[in-house]
Amino acid sequence: MADTQYILPNDIGVSSLDCREAFRLLSPAERLYAHHLSRAAWYGGLAVLLQTSPEAPYIYALLSRLFHAQDPDQLRQHALAEGLTEEEYQEKLERVILGSEAAQQHPEEVRGLWQTCGELMFCLEPRLRHLGLGKEGITTYFSGNCTMEDAKLAQDFLDSQNLSAYNTRLFKEVDGEGKPHYEVRLASVLGTEPSPDSEVTSKLKSYEFRGSPFQVTRGDYAPILQKVVEQLDKAKAYAANSHQKQMLAQYIDSFTQGSIEAHKRGSRFWIQDKGPIVESYIGFIESYRDPFGSRGEFEGFVAVVNKAMSAKFERLVASAEQLLKELPWPPAFEKDKFLTPDFTSLDVLTFAGSGIPAGINIPNYDDLRQTEGFKNVSLGNVLAVAYATQREKLTFLEEDDKDLYILWKGPSFDVQVGLHELLGHGSGKLFVQDEKGAFNFDQETVINPETGEQIQSWYRSGETWDSKFSTIASSYEECRAESVGLYLCLHPQVLEIFGFEGADAEDVIYVNWLNMVRAGLLALEFYTPEASNWRQAHMQARFVILRVLLEAGKGLVTITPTTGSDGRPDARVRLDRSKIQSVGKPALERFLRKLQVLKSTGDVAGGRALYEGYAAVTDAPPECFLTLRDTVLLRKESRKLIVQPNTRLEGSDVQLLEYEASAAGLIRSFSERFPDDGPELEEILTQLATADARFWKGPSEAPSGQA
């Protein structure tokens, strides 16, 4: 049972993102702007391979080499002609690869790549099958010998130097006397070569911190970021206004120098660029996949405004200040001034990274969010395909809930995403003491509503939400935002904004809450009992909310083990819709207040105790969650793969290239993404991976012909 969650079926669902109409409405200049930004995003997205596992770059290089030589149909026909059956073509990857056209053209290189990554690709050894630090999993944000204690020490060092962890990796080497030496490496085009003084160059030196040597260097992902910078520079020529030009100039400086401060400056211009037709963001953004919770995964997106849905979000923004007063914490715990953000519904043209979310609230820099503002986006064409559900595949619901769920899941999710992003991530104040000792709150008058006492803790200069709450920061914040969405969807004004009244409004509320408690059960797939940890921030957040609503009692939520029609274990989730207002709302109100107070005051010990307590997965009755987890794994539906289009420059015109919703379409989209520099990118990735291979158990030598 433990291994089933790591094995995907061959018939996994595939959907295509549709942005044809949105792209058609763009002007020639807007298309060129979107094209070059998309190229920058796709190039930068390759860095994610180097942020994941030692073998990931080699896997990509192998598949790239394979499918540049033969497209999926040609490879299949070739394999069948070589004597493989259809079933063997699906299952016997080594035979398919070594018998391919690519292997015949470059036998040493292809065999070398396979020898480097083939075994690791399929390895289900506990430490190698999921992300984690030290013995808990695999990550390339840290060298393989780093522990959580090393990560904490490095974070304290970074805080002491006012350096962000977002664009860093940490490498530890132990000398002959057993003393650790740490390298903090910044992502940048520039490396050790002399360069003009900047805010980064003064930091590039050796330090002694708490008895340990630290060296700050730069140049991580350099050849990849060089390609990002080249495309951003080309995009500047087609920027619609000065905000976009200045934003791109700062991004270029950030990626060239390795400067998060430059990226913050770019983000300021991005926030000021209100209502652009082509929206984008790029950089080291989300920290979900860093086991410590501080380092950002490279991400870049380009999208086009959907005007009809955006109009609803604009009405929500107009009501935001009034709705913030409905949240269950005192005014002193809310931002001094609500900085009215952009909130648009977008159709995604490009989203490069490890996954595609339904909505985004960025930037993630606390200081900007508190003083400059932020933007919210809902990704409409992603919602349309990623969360569509077939009735026969709906698990854990009562039969009489299924039709209602299918009818209202989409509309209710629009409401939840809007509230989650705008008033969830957009709400709440952090109590801060700056470098001069000044506080952003009145120490004499502000009272902690949970204790009735004056404020006892806060954030000091250099401390951020991520650095202070580290491993729980991402999930805790997602939980707070999800809870705000559930809480405020009960407000009639919110539902009217989205066009729901009367019985329809009640159904939207019910399905939104039902979807959350079902998601809390489905989340158990992402819990690892052997390591007692969660592997996905949003899923952990939804499980915590399920626990809170179960704790409310009075029959609000029940989970009942059953036997399915196939004779195998099953379960049913029930939500009593008559008790949402009377039982659910007060329970969520109490929980949400605690979350915000602990966040505002930077009370790490209290926050951990609360959050980790609810996130604990045991087999204690009545729910017996560990047993239920086995049922969830037995009944799970694999997440869909999403095929994205490409853009291609033909003369001065930009063409949109679309692909069928199939595995072959997905492969073609990647092969045609880098039509001219595929081999060069393969070499860049394998060289970068090989240069650092000594830091992990695994590939230690370059495959033949790749060094």
Side-chain angles (χ1 to χ4, degrees):
M1 177 65 70
D3 288 349
T4 59
Q5 63 185 306
Y6 303 102
I7 299 171
L8 294 176
N10 286 328
D11 60 349
I12 192 168
V14 184
S15 297
S16 288
L17 279 189
D18 180 8
C19 64
R20 186 183 312 164
E21 182 61 16
F23 185 81
R24 186 183 67 80
L25 295 173
L26 294 179
S27 70
E30 288 164 349
R31 289 186 181 190
L32 285 160
Y33 183 65
H35 168 73
H36 290 297
L37 289 175
S38 292
R39 300 307 303 151
W42 286 124
Y43 280 126
L46 295 173
V48 176
L49 296 162
L50 295 154
Q51 295 179 305
T52 302
S53 68
E55 71 273 14
Y58 299 100
I59 295 172
Y60 177 88
L62 177 62
L63 295 177
S64 174
R65 182 61 55 96
L66 187 69
F67 290 112
H68 271 107
Q70 293 169 291
D71 74 20
D73 287 341
Q74 291 170 334
L75 182 66
R76 176 176 162 275
Q77 292 300 329
H78 181 88
L80 296 179
E82 291 289 314
L84 270 69
T85 65
E86 285 280 5
E87 184 179 356
E88 286 174 330
Y89 175 66
Q90 292 281 354
E91 306 288 347
K92 309 274 188 186
L93 184 60
E94 182 175 12
R95 283 186 62 186
V96 171
I97 287 172
L98 297 183
S100 68
E101 186 71 30
Q104 291 172 19
Q105 293 172 0
H106 306 281
E108 290 186 8
E109 291 179 23
V110 171
R111 185 172 291 278
L113 285 167
W114 174 256
Q115 288 173 347
T116 304
C117 68
E119 189 173 329
L120 287 167
M121 197 190 308
F122 291 98
C123 181
L124 288 177
E125 181 186 320
R127 179 173 174 261
L128 298 181
R129 63 191 183 188
H130 53 75
L131 297 173
L133 192 54
K135 296 177 181 177
E136 303 301 324
I138 193 74
T139 177
T140 45
Y141 283 119
F142 299 86
S143 57
N145 58 353
C146 282
T147 64
M148 195 58 76
E149 287 66 36
D150 294 315
K152 290 173 183 171
L153 177 66
Q155 186 63 58
D156 288 346
F157 165 73
L158 289 167
D159 290 345
S160 76
Q161 298 302 317
N162 204 23
L163 274 170
S164 170
Y166 271 121
N167 65 340
T168 71
R169 292 199 288 169
L170 182 69
F171 301 92
K172 179 174 81 170
E173 293 194 87
V174 180
D175 65 22
E177 297 176 358
K179 185 174 184 177
H181 295 247
Y182 298 96
E183 178 195 357
V184 173
R185 191 188 302 168
L186 311 181
S188 67
V189 175
L190 294 176
T192 57
E193 65 272 24
S195 62
D197 282 349
S198 73
E199 60 216 355
V200 175
T201 51
S202 63
K203 306 277 190 182
L204 301 174
K205 59 185 180 182
S206 298
Y207 302 78
E208 188 83 11
F209 183 75
R210 293 183 189 166
S212 293
F214 275 80
Q215 179 86 19
V216 177
T217 67
R218 67 179 174 184
D220 218 0
Y221 326 120
I224 292 173
L225 292 177
Q226 177 64 44
K227 290 183 175 291
V228 173
V229 164
E230 288 168 1
Q231 293 298 325
L232 293 178
D233 194 49
K234 290 178 179 178
K236 278 169 62 179
Y238 306 103
N241 54 53
S242 63
H243 288 315
Q244 290 180 359
K245 288 179 182 175
Q246 292 176 90
M247 170 190 81
L248 292 173
Q250 292 296 333
Y251 289 166
I252 288 169
D253 190 42
S254 172
F255 298 141
T256 301
Q257 300 285 344
S259 169
I260 289 297
E261 289 304 314
H263 197 268
K264 284 184 180 181
R265 291 193 290 271
S267 296
R268 283 191 178 92
F269 290 118
W270 179 73
I271 293 166
Q272 294 163 18
D273 183 28
K274 303 284 188 183
I277 300 299
V278 177
E279 185 61 282
S280 67
Y281 198 59
I282 190 168
F284 296 89
I285 312 299
E286 302 292 355
S287 58
Y288 302 127
R289 303 212 315 167
D290 170 14
F292 189 71
S294 294
R295 286 151 191 79
E297 180 175 272
F298 194 96
E299 177 181 292
F301 79 84
V302 184
V304 183
V305 171
N306 177 319
K307 291 183 179 177
M309 181 56 89
S310 294
K312 295 180 181 179
F313 289 140
E314 285 169 15
R315 291 198 293 276
L316 187 63
V317 170
S319 304
E321 287 193 81
Q322 181 184 345
L323 291 169
L324 282 170
K325 296 173 184 175
E326 302 292 327
L327 291 171
W329 48 77
F333 287 75
E334 192 47 68
K335 292 186 180 77
D336 300 333
K337 185 178 188 306
F338 180 71
L339 301 161
T340 305
D342 238 10
F343 196 169
T344 48
S345 177
L346 305 174
D347 284 341
V348 171
L349 173 64
T350 295
F351 207 110
S354 65
I356 310 179
I360 315 171
N361 174 288
I362 37 182
N364 286 333
Y365 305 118
D366 292 330
D367 48 349
L368 292 194
R369 296 169 65 80
Q370 297 282 319
T371 60
E372 309 272 344
F374 52 89
K375 283 188 184 182
N376 298 276
V377 296
S378 173
L379 305 178
N381 58 344
V382 176
L383 286 168
V385 298
Y387 298 92
T389 310
Q390 296 173 300
R391 194 182 196 282
E392 61 272 17
K393 291 188 175 182
L394 259 183
T395 52
F396 308 127
L397 293 182
E398 297 285 8
E399 285 299 315
D400 55 3
D401 275 334
K402 288 184 177 179
D403 290 334
L404 197 68
Y405 183 89
I406 288 170
L407 180 63
W408 291 109
K409 184 185 177 186
S412 73
F413 205 67
D414 284 337
V415 174
Q416 178 68 12
V417 168
L419 295 171
H420 172 117
E421 301 296 347
L422 175 66
L423 297 165
H425 291 315
S427 65
K429 178 175 180 172
L430 301 184
F431 295 157
V432 178
Q433 180 183 26
D434 66 21
E435 64 277 3
K436 297 176 182 176
F439 292 89
N440 70 343
F441 66 99
D442 190 328
Q443 285 184 284
E444 298 298 321
T445 61
V446 177
I447 300 297
N448 183 325
E450 294 296 309
T451 65
E453 300 173 352
Q454 291 179 327
I455 303 304
Q456 304 293 321
S457 58
W458 49 83
Y459 297 79
R460 287 170 172 79
S461 177
E463 291 183 331
T464 67
W465 164 249
D466 277 339
S467 72
K468 207 164 171 63
F469 281 72
S470 64
T471 54
I472 66 166
S474 291
S475 184
Y476 187 115
E477 175 59 13
E478 293 305 330
C479 186
R480 197 182 67 87
E482 290 282 45
S483 298
V484 167
L486 283 189
Y487 187 76
L488 288 181
C489 83
L490 301 174
H491 201 289
Q493 183 184 351
V494 168
L495 297 165
E496 287 172 13
I497 287 170
F498 284 88
F500 306 120
E501 296 179 347
D504 286 354
E506 292 300 316
D507 283 344
V508 167
I509 290 171
Y510 175 61
V511 170
N512 195 31
W513 279 60
L514 180 64
N515 185 47
M516 187 62 69
V517 296
R518 176 176 180 261
L521 178 61
L522 294 175
L524 287 167
E525 175 191 339
F526 296 88
Y527 178 75
T528 304
E530 299 85 354
S532 298
N533 69 3
W534 286 89
R535 306 189 310 279
Q536 215 282 344
H538 297 79
M539 295 301 185
Q540 181 180 4
R542 290 160 189 159
F543 177 78
V544 166
I545 292 171
L546 171 62
R547 288 285 311 278
V548 170
L549 298 179
L550 282 165
E551 182 183 79
K554 300 181 182 179
L556 173 68
V557 176
T558 56
I559 302 174
T560 308
T562 62
T563 301
S565 57
D566 57 4
R568 300 190 298 172
D570 207 339
R572 288 291 174 269
V573 175
R574 295 181 182 85
L575 170 69
D576 187 338
R577 65 189 296 166
S578 70
K579 295 177 180 174
I580 291 174
Q581 293 277 2
S582 61
V583 180
K585 182 180 180 182
L588 204 58
E589 184 174 301
R590 291 189 296 272
F591 177 62
L592 197 43
R593 184 185 299 114
K594 288 178 184 175
L595 286 178
Q596 182 56 50
V597 168
L598 292 165
K599 179 181 180 182
S600 289
T601 58
D603 184 350
V604 179
R608 280 194 178 278
L610 175 74
Y611 199 70
E612 291 175 348
Y614 279 116
V617 179
T618 72
D619 230 7
E623 287 82 23
C624 305
F625 283 118
L626 285 174
T627 300
L628 276 173
R629 178 179 175 276
D630 291 340
T631 303
V632 169
L633 292 176
L634 187 69
R635 301 282 176 187
K636 75 164 188 168
E637 180 184 1
S638 299
R639 294 179 73 182
K640 291 177 181 172
L641 300 175
I642 295 183
V643 182
Q644 298 187 54
N646 286 318
T647 55
R648 184 170 64 203
L649 196 56
E650 296 183 355
S652 59
D653 295 330
V654 179
Q655 302 298 320
L656 183 71
L657 306 179
E658 297 177 284
Y659 303 90
E660 65 181 26
S662 67
L666 181 66
I667 291 166
R668 287 191 186 95
S669 73
F670 268 92
S671 292
E672 294 182 13
R673 199 151 282 151
F674 306 110
D676 302 321
D677 48 7
E680 180 194 356
L681 293 171
E682 294 162 19
E683 187 168 353
I684 286 171
L685 286 166
T686 53
Q687 285 184 348
L688 290 174
T690 301
D692 289 325
R694 69 185 188 282
F695 289 114
W696 296 276
K697 291 180 181 177
S700 58
E701 296 179 355
S704 179
Q706 292 290 308

